[in-house]
Amino acid sequence: MILTQYYLGCLAHASYLVADPESRTAAVVDPQRDVDQYLADARVHGVEIRHVFLTHFHADFVAGHLELRSRTGAEIYLGRSARAEYPFVPLGNGDAVAFGSVRLGILETPGHSPESISILVYDLRRDPASPHAVLTGDTLFIGDVGRPDLRAAVGWSAERLAGMLYDSLRDKLLPLPDETLVYPAHGAGSLCGRSIGKETVSTMGVQRRYNYALQPMSRDAFVAIVTTDQPDAPAYFTYDAILNARERPTLERALEQGLHPLTIEELRGLRDVRAQLLDARDPADFAGAHLLGSVNIGLGGQYASWAGTLLDRERPIVIIAGRGREGEAAMRLGRIGFDHVAGYLAGGMEATELHRDLVRRMPRVTAPALAELLASSDPPVVLDVRAPSEREASRIPGSLHIPLQHLLERIGEVPCGPRTVVVHCASGYRSSIAASLLERHGVPDVADLVGGMAAWNASNLPAA
């Protein structure tokens, strides 16, 4: 049996290929929307992808089940509680899909979402009685469990789903043998859990011992724990969960329709009809020169997550990227269902050479320089856009705090002159996003702290 994990760091997402070389058959579980890697590995192993499973309707990305169906003719499998616009095979407790020496057994494990399933992976040649691994989707993570509050917008209360999750963990997953490998659908950094560990695989024995949610406790205590202090969920989460249940265009088709070059004049025309200008370059490049009104969300960080959080999915997007990276920028938007790309600026920022009136710079200050400015008679406003937990650990004294995901709704709290607003985060990625948003909304004097709080602490400057 072949069991391969694919980990996509920018979305903290894990997917799986399970294959049997003898029967030349493979299944893919929870695929990302760009599916070439699964097809390439299937060719290497000499197998055909005939089955594709979704453990649930993922909220933080658009899955690649329809893409694999289009490319291979694979059958789609969902939990039997699922409702979808496309044909699928419903699976419930005790059902199995077998090919060669592989059997994939189904456990219904609702809680993170009502249709969630976990998949037991049996290598029949090794041990036909005990599962080699369990693919837990978002039911059980390494060190955490799936949050139960993401379906409130479609009528499911967090408390009700938390109670279902309690039963799923104790009745379905905890009875598994200690040596069963645990492969979840997400890792550290995903907003589908609160405190997911950095590891991408564990065992049931380790999780039984160390995972807080698997310790002995009452149902009421469990519900209270998993419904408290969950991080903010971006608005696109509900959109993606619904989209995963719909018949929709494939990623390939979406890119064909949206990814085409635009002149600077065409870009200006689209901007005049409320198109969003997305600058996907690194913060340093954006600071050096950028188009007025553009938002900087660099490909070097959690690009898709922040784009989904801060951009409007009802308005077209025009991409400004480094030469040759336009396709990557559009594809990564497609991973979260943002298919409304209207094109990209041909030639990138070089195309603005004869249009310098459209170009702006973003001032950047070093940590020692900021310390000097704060000690002057006309100190700047320091805006911290990190998460509350980061700020609790260390902060610049006297700084204003607005987490980046709330900046647009609270932008009126940012002083609009005459003092300079210096934005910082942990290292400089989020602060560049925030500074570009402030500039776009008319804050006249904005600067970015180079290196963020890490540079401030490394310079041994005062921190609260």
Side-chain angles (χ1 to χ4, degrees):
M1 181 183 73
I2 296 164
L3 174 55
T4 302
Q5 181 186 67
Y6 304 83
Y7 194 76
L8 183 62
C10 61
L11 289 177
H13 163 227
S15 54
Y16 301 90
L17 175 81
V18 185
D20 173 63
E22 186 173 320
S23 65
R24 299 173 58 84
T25 302
V28 177
V29 179
D30 293 332
Q32 62 192 61
R33 197 177 177 195
D34 45 316
V35 298
D36 286 347
Q37 61 185 341
Y38 313 116
L39 299 171
D41 281 1
R43 286 192 294 272
V44 168
H45 295 306
V47 297
E48 297 181 8
I49 298 172
R50 297 177 182 169
H51 314 283
V52 56
F53 295 77
L54 294 190
T55 56
H56 63 291
F57 293 135
H58 296 273
D60 57 335
F61 69 96
V62 175
H65 50 304
L66 300 188
E67 282 73 14
L68 283 173
R69 184 191 66 180
S70 174
R71 301 277 291 273
T72 70
E75 191 100 61
I76 297 172
Y77 300 82
L78 304 173
R80 65 179 177 181
S81 297
R83 300 293 179 265
E85 293 179 353
Y86 45 81
F88 69 91
V89 177
L91 297 172
N93 288 320
D95 290 337
V97 176
F99 44 94
S101 62
V102 173
R103 185 171 77 242
L104 302 179
I106 303 303
L107 300 174
E108 291 182 80
T109 52
H112 174 70
S113 64
E115 77 285 347
S116 289
I117 58 173
S118 296
I119 301 173
L120 300 171
V121 182
Y122 291 86
D123 185 343
L124 300 180
R125 284 197 179 90
R126 180 181 299 176
D127 185 347
S130 299
H132 170 68
V134 57
L135 310 182
T136 55
D138 284 13
T139 300
L140 176 63
F141 296 129
I142 309 306
D144 203 355
V145 291
R147 59 190 293 179
D149 62 325
L150 295 182
R151 295 303 177 89
V154 290
W156 288 86
S157 73
E159 290 74 19
R160 182 182 178 191
L161 285 173
M164 298 168 74
L165 182 60
Y166 179 86
D167 293 335
S168 294
L169 294 168
R170 279 147 182 79
D171 298 343
K172 306 292 178 59
L173 295 178
L174 273 172
L176 295 176
D178 279 352
E179 61 273 15
T180 306
L181 296 173
V182 174
Y183 285 106
H186 284 102
S190 169
L191 291 176
C192 289
R194 182 172 50 198
S195 54
I196 305 175
K198 295 181 180 179
E199 299 83 2
T200 61
V201 62
S202 184
T203 65
M204 278 306 307
V206 170
Q207 291 308 297
R208 183 178 286 111
R209 183 173 180 180
Y210 294 110
N211 191 315
Y212 75 92
L214 300 184
Q215 304 314 303
M217 70 182 81
S218 68
R219 177 190 297 269
D220 288 345
F222 177 87
V223 169
I225 289 173
V226 299
T227 57
T228 302
D229 295 331
Q230 291 289 357
D232 294 332
Y236 77 92
F237 272 28
T238 297
Y239 170 73
D240 279 7
I242 293 172
L243 197 58
N244 277 320
R246 289 181 174 168
E247 189 72 63
R248 51 157 178 81
T250 63
L251 178 61
E252 184 178 28
R253 182 179 172 191
L255 293 178
E256 287 175 357
Q257 292 178 341
L259 191 60
H260 54 86
L262 301 169
T263 65
I264 191 71
E265 289 77 14
E266 290 171 322
L267 179 147
R268 292 178 72 172
L270 284 167
R271 187 183 64 180
D272 291 343
V273 293
R274 298 181 69 248
Q276 303 167 100
L277 305 186
L278 171 59
D279 192 319
R281 298 174 301 148
D282 290 340
D285 294 328
F286 179 84
H290 59 269
L291 280 173
L292 178 65
S294 57
V295 176
N296 177 223
I297 306 177
L299 290 168
Q302 290 185 307
Y303 166 79
S305 294
W306 284 116
T309 299
L310 298 170
L311 299 182
D312 188 337
R313 64 177 181 268
E314 303 299 328
R315 295 167 54 194
I317 295 171
V318 174
I319 292 169
I320 303 159
R323 191 179 293 274
R325 303 198 73 183
E326 305 90 354
E328 177 189 356
M331 179 271 292
R332 288 173 64 179
L333 291 176
R335 286 175 176 164
I336 61 166
F338 274 48
D339 291 345
H340 47 293
V341 173
Y344 63 90
L345 179 60
M349 285 301 295
E350 293 177 16
T352 66
E353 189 64 36
L354 300 178
H355 302 271
R356 305 311 292 177
D357 59 310
L358 301 178
V359 177
R360 297 292 185 272
R361 296 184 66 255
M362 179 64 67
R364 307 179 90 201
V365 298
T366 64
L370 176 58
E372 290 181 8
L373 290 170
L374 289 172
S376 72
S377 60
D378 187 23
V381 174
V382 178
L383 174 60
D384 181 351
V385 296
R386 297 175 300 159
S389 59
E390 295 174 281
R391 184 171 171 83
E392 288 171 5
S394 179
R395 67 184 186 273
I396 297 174
S399 57
L400 172 66
H401 181 227
I402 304 177
L404 178 55
Q405 63 268 33
H406 296 298
L407 181 58
L408 289 176
E409 67 197 63
R410 296 175 56 187
I411 205 159
E413 299 175 29
V414 181
C416 194
R419 298 165 66 191
T420 300
V421 177
V422 179
V423 190
H424 86 84
C425 61
S427 62
Y429 179 81
R430 286 170 292 174
S431 60
S432 186
I433 300 174
S436 68
L437 289 170
L438 293 174
E439 183 185 74
R440 190 181 73 174
H441 282 79
V443 178
D445 194 357
V446 183
D448 187 11
L449 175 60
V450 179
M453 196 68 200
W456 182 270
N457 288 332
S459 300
N460 296 316
L461 294 166

